[in-house]
Structure formats: structure tokens, C-alpha cells
């Protein structure tokens, strides 16, 4: 795949995420893929995972702990097999009622039409606070 195809794949995955279509995401992830979302352990979907079973747990943790999650991509930069996407992540935390609205940077490595490595960065302090503080009544 060329760089524009790789960007197209990442756009497709973001669209599937926004639609709650985890199956499409998993269909486009390689079996032994590495998946890291940087942040403290208080964020249920932070940490490193490897393989489809553990990556599926990442998406389950997002679904169990938040509602309305969506990635709002703003920029894509591709070089060879790497795609960097920047934008925002928005969701509402179920337990606290607080909104997450944070800038993001995602690095994806694509080989043979599948994501083999994904790394996510955000304002993890903001995300952690949304998961631990209660909304004002």
C-alpha cells in the first residue's frame, strides 16, 4: 500500500470507531499487532497490549467506561508505512459524568494493509481526571 492508502485505512478505522463497529477495526489489525495507549492506570484503556485478544480488551474498556467516543481527525501525515494522525478525542465518562475533550496524536504502522502497531498520546492528566472526579451537581 502507498501512503495515501495507509491514510485511507486509518480514516476507515476512525469511522468504524465512531460508529461502534469494532469488528471492522479488528479486521484491519494484524494478528500480532502491538497497541499502546499512553496514560496512568486509572484510565481503563491505558497501557500496552499485544495481539487481537488484548486489543479487543482495549475497545471493550473504552465502551465500558465511556459513551459517545469519537476521534475527530484534523491532520494526517504519512511516510512509508507510518501514519501520524492528530486531532481530538471526545467522550463522556460513565462513572463520573465528565466530558473528555483532549488533543490526540496517534502513530500507526501499516504493513500489508493492516495496522501492526498503534500508539496513542493525549492529555492523559485531563483524561485521568475525567475518570476519577465527579461532575458538579
Amino acid at each position: 500500500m502507498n501512503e495515501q492508502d495507509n491514510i485511507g485505512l486509518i480514516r476507515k478505522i476512525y469511522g468504524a470507531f465512531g460508529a461502534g463497529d469494532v469488528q471492522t477495526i479488528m479486521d484491519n489489525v494484524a494478528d500480532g499487532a502491538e497497541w499502546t495507549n499512553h496514560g496512568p492506570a486509572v484510565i481503563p484503556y491505558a497501557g500496552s497490549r499485544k495481539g487481537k485478544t488484548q486489543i479487543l480488551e482495549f475497545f471493550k474498556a473504552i465502551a465500558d467506561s465511556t459513551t459517545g467516543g469519537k476521534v475527530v481527525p484534523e491532520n494526517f501525515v504519512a511516510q512509508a508505512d507510518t501514519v501520524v494522525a492528530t486531532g481530538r478525542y471526545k467522550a463522556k465518562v460513565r462513572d463520573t459524568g465528565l466530558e473528555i475533550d483532549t488533543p490526540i496524536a496517534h502513530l500507526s504502522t501499516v504493513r500489508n494493509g493492516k495496522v501492526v502497531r498503534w500508539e496513542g498520546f493525549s492529555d492523559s492528566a485531563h483524561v485521568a481526571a475525567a475518570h476519577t472526579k465527579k461532575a458538579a451537581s
Side-chain angles (χ1 to χ4, degrees):
M1 293 178 70
N2 67 36
E3 292 164 348
Q4 290 306 309
D5 291 336
N6 292 343
I7 289 173
L9 174 66
I10 301 308
R11 284 185 185 275
K12 176 181 177 180
I13 289 171
Y14 287 161
F17 179 80
D21 182 2
V22 176
Q23 186 60 55
T24 293
I25 297 168
M26 298 310 296
D27 288 347
N28 289 283
V29 171
D31 290 337
E34 297 175 13
W35 207 268
T36 302
N37 191 43
H38 293 279
V42 70
I43 302 170
Y45 39 90
S48 295
R49 293 162 173 84
K50 185 171 172 95
K52 284 190 173 189
T53 300
Q54 290 183 5
I55 294 168
L56 194 55
E57 291 170 3
F58 165 83
F59 290 105
K60 184 174 180 347
I62 292 173
D64 288 350
S65 63
T66 66
T67 61
K70 64 180 177 177
V71 173
V72 181
E74 295 169 354
N75 297 292
F76 293 90
V77 178
Q79 183 175 1
D81 62 359
T82 301
V83 176
V84 176
T86 61
R88 300 197 73 78
Y89 173 66
K90 298 180 180 188
K92 185 174 185 176
V93 178
R94 291 179 190 274
D95 288 346
T96 65
L98 294 174
E99 301 284 335
I100 296 170
D101 183 354
T102 180
I104 56 166
H106 293 162
L107 285 74
S108 300
T109 303
V110 178
R111 289 198 187 105
N112 300 317
K114 299 215 180 215
V115 175
V116 298
R117 183 173 167 271
W118 180 89
E119 196 167 1
F121 300 89
S122 68
D123 179 351
S124 59
H126 169 72
V127 177
H131 278 277
T132 57
K133 296 178 182 174
K134 295 288 183 193
S137 297

